[in-house]
């Protein structure tokens, strides 16, 4: 009787890859739980961090001499840009949307809701504007246009 | 009779050889396409940025149904990765699936933290970011009830906030692969052993923990899987759908995020080394976190083959929660394939839809 896998060497190969992967991962995981591995790993991490710090310092010195922006400068610029964007978000009022929002009346198929009685919408906080928005029904909420997200 | 028994086997072998030859030709033709193809587009479902603040971004996805459930959903992503894992591509998007099923979906996403944000820790995520986004969702949707759905550490932060009850009070809580008992994460335990791992030295030196460090530590959990996945990619280069899925997941893992140093310090010392959440000694905002205080309807979905958060690490969440309406689901799959793999489409998404639908009116 010829085994079925003999008729399909690619299947044999795929099964071998899966088996070897599982076995190698299992053996590695056993080894990686040892004290020796953990110690070696963290020695390597410490050395990498120290090397990275040293390289950053050297490159930073070189960039300073060449009068070019460093990674820290770029990060600071990014942080500044973010702050500007956040302030713009607060300044720019929501635009008006052309499409209405759907009503919040959907029921589960078969009406098996665990809590079938819809709770009334509640006001949140003492802010009058906020309270007015929250107590109004979702269906009658004014529609607004929004900025499309990037990316 | 004997001849007719042999012929089908020979025909079968010939058919398989022909198939493999066809695949080999396609592999050769498509390998160049693969090497030259740009990173696939992700997160294409239309959305609005509701709020941005440093590392935090809050999105609202545009509803596609004419009628939605009353209770909106707020997803909380783990700070280690981008939230587009919920919205990879058409047909692979949990967000798109939920929109089509009539949910109003909001997502908390993370950008790389700036140097100024190196001091962020669990307290900031739990007591500031999540309540802030919950409030914004409530105001935007005009509904006070919101379902929180957290993934991995996003689930942990959502659960902590719900347990504290003072600022985070969701209508329902759903967690995906959320660790509670960190002693059950054996490999992480070995690596975070305080005898070898000086987290103070690392955090004090770098401030922000590099994305490569985070990515490599995830990768090291399964050292052979990188090579095996490349072999499988070669084997499946003829299959456009497989290649697309591979590229999507590669893009997601490549965009692993750096982490604020204080967050890493707190996770290492409190969660990994002291197992403080499980032991009931974790304090967030000065208040002791007791999982038993969770009393809202909750669902915890665990992955059977999760190499990052083994199911036994997540089980105490449902065991300890005081909620009368609580359920744990153990589904086949791994840490990521549970929510974004082909099996997720067949198993997890419909189960989530059924659970949420009954509690979203």
């Amino acid at each position: 009787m010829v085994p079925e896998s003999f008729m399909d060497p690619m299947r044999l190969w795929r099964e071998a890859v899966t088996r070897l992967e599982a076995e190698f991962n299992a053996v590695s995981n056993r080894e990686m739980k040892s004290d020796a591995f953990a110690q070696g790993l963290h020695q390597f991490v410490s050395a990498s961090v120290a090397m990275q710090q040293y390289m950053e310092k050297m490159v930073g010195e070189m960039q300073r001499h060449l009068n070019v922006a460093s990674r820290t400068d770029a990060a600071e610029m990014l942080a500044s840009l973010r702050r500007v964007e956040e302030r713009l978000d607060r300044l720019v009022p929501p635009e008006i949307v052309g499409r209405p929002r759907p009503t919040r009346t959907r029921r589960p198929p078969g009406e098996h809701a665990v809590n079938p009685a819809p709770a009334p919408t509640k006001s949140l906080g003492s802010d009058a504007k906020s309270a007015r928005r929250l107590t109004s029904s979702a269906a009658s909420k004014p529609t607004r246009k929004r900025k499309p997200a990037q990316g | 009779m004997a001849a007719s028994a042999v012929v089908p086997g020979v025909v079968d072998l010939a058919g398989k050889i022909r198939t493999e030859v066809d695949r080999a030709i396609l592999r050769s033709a498509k390998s160049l396409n693969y090497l030259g193809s740009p990173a696939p587009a992700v997160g294409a479902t239309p959305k609005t940025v509701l709020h941005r603040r440093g590392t935090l971004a809050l999105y609202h996805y545009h509803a596609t149904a004419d009628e939605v459930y009353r209770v909106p959903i707020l997803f909380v992503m783990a700070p280690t990765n981008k939230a587009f894992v919920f919205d990879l591509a058409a047909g692979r998007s949990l967000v798109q699936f939920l929109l089509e099923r009539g949910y109003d979906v909001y997502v908390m996403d993370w950008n790389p933290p700036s140097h100024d944000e190196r001091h962020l820790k669990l307290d900031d995520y739990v007591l500031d970011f999540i309540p802030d986004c919950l409030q914004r969702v409530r105001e935007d949707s005009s509904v006070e009830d919101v379902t929180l759905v957290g993934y991995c550490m996003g689930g942990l932060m959502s659960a902590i906030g719900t347990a504290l009850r003072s600022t985070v009070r969701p209508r329902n809580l759903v967690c995906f692969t959320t660790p509670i008992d960190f002693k059950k994460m054996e490999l992480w335990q070995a690596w975070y052993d305080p005898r070898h791992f000086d987290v103070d030295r690392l955090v004090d030196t770098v401030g922000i923990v590099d994305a490569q460090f985070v990515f490599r530590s995830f990768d090291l959990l399964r050292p052979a899987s990188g090579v095996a996945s490349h072999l499988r990619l070669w084997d499946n280069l003829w299959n456009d759908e497989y290649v697309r899925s591979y590229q999507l997941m590669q893009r997601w893992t490549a965009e692993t995020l750096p982490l604020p140093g204080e967050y890493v310090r707190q996770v290492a010392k409190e969660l990994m080394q002291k197992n403080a959440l499980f032991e009931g000694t974790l304090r967030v905002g000065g208040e002791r976190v007791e999982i038993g205080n969770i009393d809202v309807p909750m669902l915890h979905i665990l992955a059977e083959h999760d190499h990052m958060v083994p199911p036994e690490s997540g089980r105490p969440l449902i065991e300890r929660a005081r909620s009368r309406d609580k359920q744990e689901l153990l589904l086949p799959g791994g840490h990521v394939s549970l929510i974004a793999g082909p099996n997720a489409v067949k198993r997890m998404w419909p189960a989530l839809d059924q659970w949420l639908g009954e509690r979203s009116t």
Side-chain angles (χ1 to χ4, degrees):
Chain A
M1 182 86 183
V2 181
E4 198 184 336
S5 54
F6 180 79
M7 303 295 280
D8 191 351
M10 286 305 284
R11 187 179 138 195
L12 203 65
W13 177 79
R14 284 173 201 123
E15 285 170 357
V17 168
T18 302
R19 199 174 55 250
L20 284 172
E21 179 194 6
E23 283 171 9
F24 189 85
N25 282 338
V27 169
S28 306
N29 285 0
R30 268 201 303 278
E31 291 302 314
M32 286 190 290
K33 282 177 196 165
S34 69
D35 277 356
F37 181 85
Q39 199 171 4
L41 178 71
H42 292 302
Q43 279 171 355
F44 174 75
V45 169
S46 298
S48 301
V49 169
M51 179 66 83
Q52 192 185 334
Q53 292 290 108
Y54 178 72
M55 288 298 289
E56 276 178 16
K57 194 177 166 189
M58 293 288 287
V59 172
E61 282 294 309
M62 201 166 70
Q63 285 167 327
R64 196 170 60 79
H65 282 298
L66 295 172
N67 200 23
V68 293
S70 67
R71 190 176 166 181
T72 312
D73 296 331
E76 279 170 10
M77 280 198 295
L78 177 68
S80 300
L81 268 176
R82 272 194 192 166
R83 282 194 291 273
V84 171
E85 282 180 342
E86 285 160 19
R87 284 183 187 166
L88 276 174
D89 284 348
R90 285 199 289 270
L91 286 172
V92 178
E95 297 161 50
I96 307 299
V97 155
R99 59 190 172 78
R101 287 208 184 186
T103 56
R104 295 186 176 276
T105 49
R106 192 179 185 97
R107 312 288 301 173
E111 288 286 326
H112 287 135
V114 167
N115 181 6
T121 51
K122 299 168 192 169
S123 71
L124 297 170
S126 56
D127 176 64
K129 187 181 165 195
S130 163
R132 188 173 64 249
R133 284 184 62 200
L134 291 161
T135 46
S136 63
S137 77
S140 62
K141 183 181 172 184
T143 53
R144 292 175 298 163
K145 183 189 255 177
R146 291 144 150 205
K147 300 164 289 185
Q150 292 176 350
Chain B
M1 283 299 285
S4 65
V6 171
V7 169
V10 173
V11 170
D12 198 31
L13 179 62
K16 278 172 182 159
I17 290 171
R18 196 180 311 117
T19 303
E20 288 305 329
V21 169
D22 289 345
R23 286 178 180 178
I25 293 166
L26 281 170
R27 256 183 226 120
S28 305
K30 293 191 175 187
S31 57
L32 285 176
N33 287 349
Y34 170 72
L35 292 172
S37 62
V42 290
T45 305
K47 61 181 179 287
T48 297
V49 180
L50 267 193
H51 178 55
R52 278 185 294 200
R53 176 157 60 101
T55 185
L56 169 70
L58 174 63
Y59 307 135
H60 181 212
Y61 284 85
H62 299 177
T64 54
D66 295 333
E67 188 186 29
V68 296
Y69 287 106
R70 188 183 66 84
V71 181
I73 300 171
L74 172 60
F75 278 89
V76 184
M77 185 58 198
T80 44
N81 291 90
K82 297 293 290 177
F84 67 74
V85 72
F86 299 131
D87 183 30
L88 279 176
R92 302 284 306 273
S93 165
L94 173 58
V95 166
Q96 193 182 45
F97 171 81
L98 291 172
L99 291 172
E100 285 165 4
R101 296 296 174 114
Y103 296 91
D104 194 12
V105 180
Y106 297 80
V107 172
M108 281 175 74
D109 196 9
W110 310 108
N111 295 308
S114 68
H115 192 66
D116 291 345
E117 292 174 309
R118 65 191 181 281
H119 298 302
L120 292 178
K121 52 185 194 172
L122 276 175
D123 304 45
D124 299 286
Y125 289 91
V126 172
L127 301 175
D128 181 8
F129 291 140
I130 294 178
D132 181 20
C133 288
L134 268 175
Q135 182 64 14
R136 287 173 192 279
V137 170
R138 285 168 177 150
E139 288 180 5
D140 187 69
S141 62
S142 305
V143 177
E144 185 177 358
D145 291 334
V146 178
T147 294
L148 262 186
V149 181
Y151 177 36
C152 190
M153 291 301 278
L156 179 132
M157 295 187 297
S158 305
I160 291 175
T162 309
L164 290 174
R165 296 197 291 187
S166 50
T167 50
V168 179
R169 187 77 190 155
R171 164 72 184 268
N172 308 298
L173 175 65
V174 178
C175 295
F176 302 147
T177 63
T178 293
I180 300 294
D181 184 358
F182 284 74
K183 290 286 176 209
K184 297 283 171 25
M185 299 162 78
E186 292 180 0
L187 215 47
W188 293 108
Q189 282 294 309
W191 296 350
Y192 279 85
D193 187 330
R195 290 175 300 159
H196 310 302
F197 181 37
D198 188 352
V199 67
D200 289 325
R201 188 175 165 199
L202 173 72
V203 171
D204 293 341
T205 309
V206 298
I208 294 283
V209 175
D210 193 61
Q212 276 300 313
F213 179 88
V214 180
F215 175 74
R216 293 287 167 220
S217 59
F218 290 156
D219 214 28
L220 204 54
L221 291 166
R222 283 184 163 180
S225 296
V227 175
S229 69
H230 278 101
L231 289 172
R232 287 195 193 97
L233 172 67
W234 172 81
D235 186 23
N236 287 284
L237 267 178
W238 56 272
N239 181 345
D240 290 339
E241 189 50 40
Y242 185 95
V243 172
R244 182 167 160 267
S245 296
Y246 179 87
Q247 286 179 313
L248 288 169
M249 291 316 298
Q250 283 296 108
R251 168 142 188 213
W252 183 68
T253 51
E255 291 195 31
T256 301
L257 295 170
L259 289 169
E262 285 306 319
Y263 170 87
V264 173
R265 196 196 311 264
Q266 198 179 15
V267 168
K269 287 189 167 181
E270 297 297 319
L271 299 179
M272 288 289 182
Q273 293 172 357
K274 294 181 188 165
N275 203 14
L277 181 59
F278 181 76
E279 299 295 339
T281 55
L282 180 69
R283 299 189 88 83
V284 170
E287 203 177 331
R288 199 167 66 86
V289 181
E290 181 52 67
I291 291 295
N293 285 338
I294 297 176
D295 58 357
V296 300
M298 69 176 299
L299 171 68
H300 191 190
I301 306 181
L302 294 159
E304 203 175 345
H305 305 292
D306 194 332
H307 67 294
M308 288 192 187
V309 181
E312 54 272 28
S313 166
R315 292 227 158 89
L317 183 57
I318 288 293
E319 286 168 5
R320 292 188 176 185
R322 204 170 61 203
S323 318
R324 277 181 300 173
D325 176 10
K326 59 182 183 178
Q327 188 181 351
E328 182 182 286
L329 272 182
L330 181 65
L331 297 178
H335 192 72
V336 183
S337 65
L338 178 79
I339 56 166
N343 281 337
V345 181
K346 283 187 286 186
R347 297 191 182 103
M348 199 280 266
W349 297 2
L352 179 67
D353 173 38
Q354 189 181 350
W355 193 89
L356 283 175
E358 294 168 354
R359 292 159 182 84
S360 298
T361 54

